[in-house]
Amino acid sequence: MLNIQALEKLIQQEMEAAKVPALSIAVIKGDEVLFARGFGVTDAENGGLPVTADTIFRVGSVSKVITGTLIMKLVEQGLIDLDTPVTAYVPWLTLSDPDAADKVTMRTLLTHRAGFVNAGTYLGSRDPQGLRNYVRDVLSQAKLYSQPGELFNYNCHSIDIAGLVAEEVTGRYYDDLVRELVFEPLGMKRSTYDPAVAMTYPLALPHNLTEGGYEVIHKMPDNVAHHPSFYLMTTANDLLNFVRMHLQDGTNAWREVLRPETVQEMHAQQVELQSAIGYELGLTFFKVRRNGVWLSTHFGDITTYSANLYIAPEEGVAVVIMNNRPFPHDKVIAPILDQLLPDRSDQVAEKATRAADRFLWPSYEGAYIGSTAGLIVVEQNGEELRAAVNGKTLSLRPFQDQYAGFNEENVREVLVHFVPNGDQPCKHVMVNNTRCHRINYDPSFRPESHWMEAYQGVYAHDLYLGPYRIALEDGQLTVEDLEYGSDFKETLLPVAPHLFVGPHAKTLEFQLGADGRVKSYLAMFGWEMFRI
């Protein structure tokens, strides 16, 4: 069973090392709550309350599995069909590609295959109509990088549209629906999307580091448009009630919330993802193997918060964790799972590696770019296939049913899958589960000097992302994280006018204002960082 004393010591050590003021965690096995407690204080700057398992945290994209559960409840009620185009429920829905909207189904939304990149805005409308307005006015213009249903690319837009569909088929606002159909049946009494409600309970505040210690960020993000995708505020005990329902085939202590077959479909494979050990996507839940045991999981982060949940349905085990500064969850969750789960590694058969089809290599050659992958340039060099990933050359070798990129030390760095395109050159390649599309790329391209000067400055996404300094050093552009304690700095590679990539920054695309001056840049094609 679980060694509680060792676990508490480990958590405290890792919190101190990562400089995390507040953390809450809960563990369940079968009907028994093995561990549920908090560590630290809610406000390390001014002296806050001790954290408990009932302290509220933001949990970012863990919100997505709440939305998935809501949608499946509406499926049970006959209001939504997973494979019907969502324009049947939202006739006014339009996308940037006029033919795309009618191809979008709820299943493509809940499996991140609608064609979007990940993007969002931390501050927006508090109007209950905010979700509808955002889908109508903003998402209708958002660029699609592949056709709906074709390729996976994790994003928030898809889940926000799913939330909008829920509003349209019921005639009710998203927050009210979740409260009635998810929170209340599960006894999630402190869970909310409204900061004005959350602040009436003990609430762990977001913190930045300073030379003297911690500094609270005295501005709560809020944007109704993103409530379905990453705005949930909840507690470890509330989230434990949620995962318990998923462990118990849709029931809690006093009622059936979802039918058993509905829960099973949520956790069943919908999309196979790139991995060496087994990685899949259900309906909003990701699935990964640990020691041969399948786990349903979802990570989330927003401002300085992060959270994680792991559910082992076949073993009746679940772990939830949340914190108000970045924390290495795996260092705590891994030993918990290793103590509570059997080791079934010997029951997992590794996929056979297929021989390379060199006849296809010419169709692979070319340059591709992806929001969280950056630039990948593929070329055949005699008997070898190579990929330059953000300027670093890797040797591509067959690995299972895809390719793996190995560095000079023979260490595998990336997984690469070339998406078949008949007898035509590949249009897309998947790199570590990031969709990349083919581009025209000239390695000799260099931006004009006046633009290199114009890009310089400090950029941030309000108080929440950044600040980052863009500077010109020895004729090259660099990006540097100015947050206290960060040592991140790297040189950027120019790709096209106003577009750069970096090994960690991935993609930066500078945006011009109406006056023709640089006003911001898009990080990873989606998160706008404004000049400050």
Side-chain angles (χ1 to χ4, degrees), residues 219-267:
K219 190 175 184 180
M220 271 289 183
D222 194 12
N223 189 347
V224 169
H226 297 314
H227 283 190
S229 59
F230 66 105
Y231 266 76
L232 175 65
M233 289 171 278
T234 188
T235 73
N237 276 336
D238 275 11
L239 208 53
L240 201 63
N241 288 346
F242 173 78
V243 299
R244 181 188 281 116
M245 181 270 289
H246 278 271
L247 285 175
Q248 297 177 170
D249 284 333
T251 63
N252 60 17
W254 58 90
R255 70 168 77 176
E256 180 182 85
V257 179
L258 290 178
R259 298 170 189 157
E261 59 269 26
T262 301
V263 174
Q264 290 163 14
E265 183 164 17
M266 287 193 73
H267 295 270

Side-chain angles (χ1 to χ4, degrees), residues 221-362:
D222 194 12
N223 189 347
V224 169
H226 297 314
H227 283 190
S229 59
F230 66 105
Y231 266 76
L232 175 65
M233 289 171 278
T234 188
T235 73
N237 276 336
D238 275 11
L239 208 53
L240 201 63
N241 288 346
F242 173 78
V243 299
R244 181 188 281 116
M245 181 270 289
H246 278 271
L247 285 175
Q248 297 177 170
D249 284 333
T251 63
N252 60 17
W254 58 90
R255 70 168 77 176
E256 180 182 85
V257 179
L258 290 178
R259 298 170 189 157
E261 59 269 26
T262 301
V263 174
Q264 290 163 14
E265 183 164 17
M266 287 193 73
H267 295 270
Q269 176 186 320
Q270 307 286 327
V271 179
E272 184 176 9
L273 302 176
Q274 290 177 291
S275 170
I277 60 172
Y279 191 29
E280 301 174 352
L281 179 60
L283 295 173
T284 62
F285 282 100
F286 288 87
K287 299 186 65 186
V288 64
R289 274 197 180 109
R290 181 172 184 84
N291 297 331
V293 176
W294 278 110
L295 300 164
S296 294
T297 181
H298 211 296
F299 171 79
D301 63 355
I302 178 172
T303 67
T304 66
Y305 297 93
S306 64
N308 225 323
L309 63 78
Y310 282 86
I311 305 172
E314 294 182 0
E315 307 300 331
V317 170
V319 183
V320 299
I321 188 170
M322 51 196 70
N323 38 274
N324 63 346
R325 273 195 52 76
F327 182 81
H329 295 145
D330 193 58
K331 289 188 176 181
V332 169
I333 292 177
I336 293 174
L337 295 176
D338 287 345
Q339 291 177 65
L340 298 180
L341 298 179
D343 187 344
R344 295 204 177 101
S345 302
D346 59 351
Q347 300 177 22
V348 179
E350 185 171 316
K351 282 185 179 180
T353 293
R354 299 188 308 207
D357 188 346
R358 296 185 181 182
F359 177 78
L360 294 174
W361 283 7

